[in-house]
Amino acid sequence: MEPMLCPSCKTNRTRFHLIEQHPRAVKIDPYTGEIEQEYTNDALEPFHLPYRGPSYRVQCGVCGLIEDADMFIQRAKSSPLK
């Protein structure tokens, strides 16, 4: 982990929620929304791209902003503690 600072409220450096993301590749029925098929990353269909997003996101425990961790880390680097 690296120091973080909320880019929205600009005061919180200590209270965060780390939200782990566990993507599931699925094919759903367009009429009912039921899952028709679930895929693994090794067996995706040609038009189904693998998930390329972050493994976790961060929520500010003060104002509730949810962003990628890089946003919080970069804000802390641009406003270091004195």
Side-chain angles (χ1 to χ4, degrees), residues 9-48:
C9 67
K10 298 174 182 73
T11 58
N12 180 29
R13 291 180 183 269
T14 59
R15 292 174 178 83
F16 301 99
H17 300 279
L18 301 180
I19 305 166
E20 293 182 6
Q21 300 194 121
H22 302 282
R24 289 173 52 198
V26 298
K27 181 177 182 180
I28 63 170
D29 182 282
Y31 299 102
T32 66
E34 295 289 321
I35 294 175
E36 292 181 343
Q37 189 171 359
E38 190 161 349
Y39 305 100
T40 64
N41 278 343
D42 299 331
L44 293 175
E45 290 183 341
F47 293 107
H48 199 129

Side-chain angles (χ1 to χ4, degrees), residues 43-58:
L44 293 175
E45 290 183 341
F47 293 107
H48 199 129
L49 295 174
Y51 179 73
R52 293 188 179 117
S55 60
Y56 72 95
R57 296 189 66 166
V58 177

